[in-house]
């Protein structure tokens, strides 16, 4: 859906294959704009109904299928919303290896574990591009 490069953690917010699990999830409630502005949540949706948290273990490694191809990410926020058209949207807040935030639909990611070779390779390539460039 979109990227938000301003979302970051105190240490830059990025991760590698060994430290992704330290990312702090936003769970237990639906995020507000104040949560996003405070850097606690990746997104907050307005104009939706029946907003609820998706019950899943967070943080969760994923491969995100977006316009530019596949990208490694970690889910730190998961919410279900009924949009103005009545369709259910399962929306995820993602952290990318460089610390950027992104918003994606659950349908656009593959849930994996941190031993998945494709996910590990995507993280390593993203970290290498950021570091040495």
């Amino acid at each position: 859906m979109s990227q938000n490069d301003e979302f970051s953690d105190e240490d830059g917010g990025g991760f590698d294959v060994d430290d992704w699990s330290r990312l702090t999830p936003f769970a237990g409630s639906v995020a507000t704009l104040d949560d996003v502005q405070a850097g606690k949540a990746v997104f907050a949706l307005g104009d939706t109904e029946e907003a609820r948290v998706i019950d899943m273990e967070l943080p969760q490694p994923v491969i995100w299928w977006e316009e530019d191809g596949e990208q490694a990410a970690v889910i730190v926020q998961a919410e279900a919303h009924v949009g103005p058209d009545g369709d259910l949207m399962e929306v995820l807040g993602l952290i990318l290896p460089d610390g950027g935030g992104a918003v994606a639909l659950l349908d656009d990611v593959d849930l994996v574990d941190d031993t998945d070779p494709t996910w590990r390779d995507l993280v390593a390539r993203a970290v290498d591009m950021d570091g040495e460039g």
Side-chain angles (χ1 to χ4, degrees), residues 20 56-62 73-76 110-113:
W20 66 271
M56 67 186 315
E57 192 168 322
L58 299 176
Q60 166 67 52
V62 294
V74 174
I75 302 170
V76 294
D110 292 332
L111 303 178
V112 297
D113 65 38

Side-chain angles (χ1 to χ4, degrees), residues 19-125:
D19 74 350
W20 66 271
S21 63
R22 67 158 173 71
L23 294 173
T24 304
F26 185 87
S29 65
V30 173
T32 65
L33 184 55
D34 288 341
D35 295 323
V36 174
Q37 291 173 336
K40 297 177 185 176
V42 177
F43 69 91
L45 296 182
D47 298 330
T48 64
E49 299 175 14
E50 301 176 40
R52 63 177 173 78
V53 174
I54 297 173
D55 184 23
M56 67 186 315
E57 192 168 322
L58 299 176
Q60 166 67 52
V62 294
I63 297 172
W64 175 33
W65 298 92
E66 52 123 13
E67 297 169 355
D68 299 331
E70 58 187 8
Q71 208 175 141
V74 174
I75 302 170
V76 294
Q77 181 182 356
E79 298 178 5
H81 293 258
V82 175
D85 56 3
D87 288 341
L88 178 67
M89 301 179 297
E90 294 176 309
V91 186
L92 306 174
L94 307 176
I95 300 297
L96 305 175
D98 67 1
V103 180
L105 297 175
L106 184 58
D107 290 343
D108 295 333
V109 303
D110 292 332
L111 303 178
V112 297
D113 65 38
D114 65 358
T115 63
D116 182 272
T118 301
W119 182 82
R120 293 178 72 85
D121 182 57
L122 289 168
V123 171
R125 285 191 287 163

